Amino acid sequence: MARYTGRGVHYQVVQDIGSRIVGGQYAPGDVLSLPALREELDVSLTALREALKVLTGKGLVDARQKRGTFVRPRSAWNLLDADVIDWRIDGGDAERVLHDLADLRSVIEPAVARRAALRRTEADLAALDAALEAMASTGDDAAAAAEADAAFHRALLTATGNELFARMDLLLEPGLRARDRLVHAHAGADDPVPSHRAVLEAVREGDAPRAELAMLDLLAKASKDIDDMAVRARSRRPGR
């Protein structure tokens, strides 16, 4: 599910309550007191209820007659939702989020690269070229780098010629964008352009085994960036 992009009071209520749930301030099974939340957050009951509808869509809360609105178990949360990912990262769970994402990508993306090499069209290659060009021109703009990276991997999924693979951007992209924002905001991250270019050239030449190996190399470098970032984060903690 995409990030909630509302603004104003409604947006802030979603952010406040969602981050509390994901951060553990409210435990699974806890009943949320709407009158207390309304008073604390100084919002209308309508705004509060609308925010809870958004959180219901993310799997965080539900409501039952005679029980009220309650926090759902973690197993019900949409952990691939962009906001849930951000709330986990902000709550100190970034390392686990990123390692889980790396594990997921290691299963999916080498197979995607292999199929893309066998099935890509000229239009697919043009989309991959455009994304790589954008990636090379982002400079120190972490947000632009994340967008260009997402565009490249989205184009690669499309290049498989499989509509179900193409829609796996819904699965991968929220985590990928969060990962890129974190990694590219830190000095010393690996330049992503050469590893992505190696994948693209193998796909362009229709070399499926080389495309798969190039993706494995790309993912290995991405994992190293995560490990390096985690080491830097731990070294900055108090007492170190």
Side-chain angles (χ1 to χ4, degrees), residues 7 67 71 78 90 107 116 129 135 146 150-151 153 173 183 186 214:
R7 288 295 180 266
R67 182 177 179 183
V71 178
N78 181 359
D90 292 343
V107 173
D129 280 329
M135 194 181 301
H153 290 274
E173 196 166 313
V183 169
H186 289 78

Side-chain angles (χ1 to χ4, degrees), residues 23-84:
Q25 185 172 338
Y26 298 134
D30 281 356
V31 175
L32 303 181
S33 169
L34 271 60
L37 281 171
R38 179 186 175 188
E39 182 176 353
E40 178 190 352
L41 301 176
D42 191 24
V43 295
S44 69
L45 187 58
T46 298
L48 181 57
R49 284 175 172 163
E50 288 300 314
L52 290 171
K53 286 181 182 179
V54 174
L55 296 174
T56 298
K58 298 175 185 295
L60 299 184
V61 300
D62 203 352
R64 294 286 186 273
Q65 285 188 345
K66 298 184 179 180
R67 182 177 179 183
T69 301
F70 60 93
V71 178
R72 299 186 72 190
R74 185 184 178 92
S75 59
W77 298 357
N78 181 359
L79 296 177
L80 293 167
D81 178 89
D83 285 320
V84 174

Side-chain angles (χ1 to χ4, degrees), residues 174-240:
L176 185 62
R177 286 177 179 274
R179 177 251 177 221
D180 285 346
R181 285 195 300 273
L182 287 171
V183 169
H184 292 301
H186 289 78
D190 179 71
D191 179 1
V193 173
S195 56
H196 285 73
R197 180 177 289 118
V199 173
L200 172 53
E201 292 310 314
V203 169
R204 191 190 312 278
E205 294 172 20
D207 190 334
R210 184 156 64 91
E212 184 174 12
L213 289 173
M215 179 56 74
L216 287 168
D217 181 64
L218 184 158
L219 293 173
K221 291 177 179 177
S223 291
K224 184 178 184 300
D225 282 340
I226 293 170
D227 291 338
D228 291 346
M229 185 188 70
V231 169
R232 289 193 294 270
R234 286 194 290 268
S235 70
R236 291 193 295 270
R237 290 174 185 166
R240 296 298 297 270

